[in-house]
Amino acid sequence: TQYVSPLRVTPVEMHSLTRRTMRPVRGESYDYLVVGAGLAGGVLAERLANDMDKRVLIVDKRDHIGGNTFDYYDAAGILVHKYGPHIFHTNSTEVMQYLSQFTSWRNYEHRVLAQVDGQLLPIPINIDTIERMYNLSLDGDGMQQFLAARAEAGRTIRTSEDIVVSRVGRELYEKFFRNYTRKQWGLDPSELDASVAGRIPVRHNRDDRYFTDTYQAMPLHGFTRMFERMLDSKRITIRTGVAYQDVAHAYPNAKVIFTGPVDEYFDYRFGALPYRSLEFKHETHDRERFQAAPVVNYPNDQAYTRITEFKYLTGQVSPRTSIVYEYPKAEGDPYYPIPRPRNMALYAKYKELADRKSEVTFVGRLATYKYYNMDQVVAQALTTYRRISEQERKLAVA
Ligand code: FAD
Ligand code: UDP
């Protein structure tokens, strides 16, 4: 083919670690059973095996490793993310150094445009956003004054509506945030914790990057490749296409690390914890570029929230281009914990059960019901590992 790409290694459509059936082998024994091969499970498995010489079985009910970060080369040879765009960014040197053992990186600073009133405008809102929306010319002070005249500054901040209105006022809130949030979460911003829309800052300068973290980079050969290296140990056995329920009784002596939904673990004893789901629609187009930015957000006019064009993330060169649409849904795979007081109260009940269950460790975005980014999950998993290894060392001495 005439396709050229600095990244293409082998044109695999699905990864080498495909579905394997679980048959407990006689004599097979493990110190740890890790449930879920996403970042939380991957980090714990790697640390237990390589730092403490533990024998680890890691299972995932999906037919691949990597959890929600899973990526693969599609039929056009573009490295795409199966479960929506995953952009790595962190301020943590520890997290960056830890992951750098398993991947090299491609520097990448993410940028997003939002389609508002027929224009594509930078989000987070910055001076350029306001200048173009209102046909103004502003400096930093001008921006400050523009916002001060609109922002409801004295407002008590509890919800996502509060935080946005207190920063930019009601009009910008309605154009950029209210409908996007309703679509994404199925809730009005006034029903969601401030931490949700609070993820998106307001800039009093022209910085149009989505993140300002110290480290912003993508794994050079993708997340799945990074996971393959992370789990490449003779003490780690990987079984994909295997649910916890299939193996829960096969290894009674193994300690369990659980990274799936915490309510599922406890058979929904207190009722189901709400998680928001998405449907991903992947497409490849016979043109070099699809859109003007890596991600375009559609707050108001479409059923989808955003479109991602993957070539921006990978730097690949190709006459074709692959994109993904995200359609929010109530039903389906649990992708997002929904931060609001009533859900946090329900989670607190499950957490109490989880804390009492000392032979099982709950870690990750689903098991601790936290709207965490990848780096936060890695940091949480490393902290959890330190706690486990201290306990193990104390037990070994006793
Ligand atoms: P997961 O990756 O969900 O892994 C849990 C695994 O457990 C899953 O593979 C699941 O199949 C498995 N499992 C569950 N139950 C069972 C069971 N009973 N038996 C066996 N296996 C089970 N973060 C960023 O930093 N930057 C981003 O740009 C970003 N974008 C995102 C976009 C989307 C659409 C989503 C949904 C998330 C995004 N994230 C992003 C967050 C990121 O995906 C998570 O922080 C991280 O992947 C969570 O890792 P985890 O191991 O906790 O969970
Ligand atoms: N948000 C919004 N408009 C936007 C971008 C974000 O209203 O153009 C709000 C929305 O509630 C969203 C939240 O801010 O769910 C967090 O956005 P982010 O891009 O961090 O979401 P994620 O990438 O985690 O889906």
Side-chain angles (χ1 to χ4, degrees), residues 128-332:
D128 287 308
T129 315
I130 301 301
E131 282 188 344
R132 288 173 48 197
M133 256 190 97
Y134 295 97
N135 228 337
L136 293 170
S137 172
L138 298 170
D139 57 10
D141 288 344
M143 178 71 168
Q144 199 96 31
Q145 283 161 22
F146 178 94
L147 292 176
R150 290 162 176 80
E152 296 177 18
R155 208 179 160 107
T156 308
I157 294 171
R158 269 192 305 270
T159 71
S160 279
E161 178 184 18
D162 295 332
I163 196 160
V164 178
V165 169
S166 77
R167 286 171 173 173
V168 299
R170 192 151 291 278
E171 186 177 56
L172 291 165
Y173 161 75
E174 284 174 4
K175 288 184 189 288
F176 286 85
F177 289 89
R178 188 178 61 183
N179 296 331
Y180 186 109
T181 302
R182 285 182 171 178
K183 183 158 59 173
Q184 167 73 7
W185 300 93
L187 292 170
D188 190 79
S190 62
E191 300 172 289
L192 279 166
D193 283 3
S195 59
V196 176
R199 288 164 61 91
I200 313 303
V202 179
R203 304 252 170 79
H204 294 197
N205 54 30
R206 295 181 195 272
D207 189 347
D208 66 343
R209 296 171 305 162
Y210 207 60
F211 309 110
T212 50
D213 301 54
T214 318
Y215 306 103
Q216 305 190 36
M218 298 295 286
L220 187 58
H221 299 291
F223 289 102
T224 306
R225 179 64 67 81
M226 180 181 86
F227 269 85
E228 287 174 347
R229 293 187 57 190
M230 190 186 279
L231 297 177
D232 180 18
S233 157
K234 61 180 191 313
R235 287 183 293 278
I236 298 177
T237 302
I238 304 167
R239 298 249 163 80
T240 53
V242 172
Y244 178 52
Q245 294 76 350
D246 304 334
V247 285
H249 302 293
Y251 305 100
N253 299 321
K255 292 177 190 138
V256 173
I257 311 279
F258 190 81
T259 77
V262 62
D263 55 336
E264 176 194 304
Y265 182 91
F266 291 108
D267 291 328
Y268 310 101
R269 192 174 308 178
F270 304 122
L273 264 172
Y275 294 89
R276 190 70 172 161
S277 193
L278 291 172
E279 197 169 303
F280 302 100
K281 191 167 146 240
H282 287 266
E283 283 177 359
T284 297
H285 290 258
D286 270 324
R287 53 202 256 208
E288 213 165 316
R289 271 274 170 255
F290 183 82
Q291 61 187 24
V295 168
V296 176
N297 285 357
Y298 292 87
N300 304 313
D301 302 326
Q302 312 290 349
Y304 44 86
T305 49
R306 59 186 176 190
I307 302 177
T308 301
E309 183 169 7
F310 288 103
K311 274 164 53 175
Y312 284 101
L313 279 49
T314 65
Q316 285 171 291
V317 177
S318 167
R320 306 174 76 192
T321 193
S322 296
I323 60 168
V324 68
Y325 297 81
E326 290 171 64
Y327 292 89
K329 291 195 315 178
E331 304 302 323

Side-chain angles (χ1 to χ4, degrees), residues 22-26 28 239 246-247 250-251:
M22 171 59 212
R23 210 177 302 113
V25 176
R26 202 202 304 261
E28 191 183 42
R239 298 249 163 80
D246 304 334
V247 285
Y251 305 100

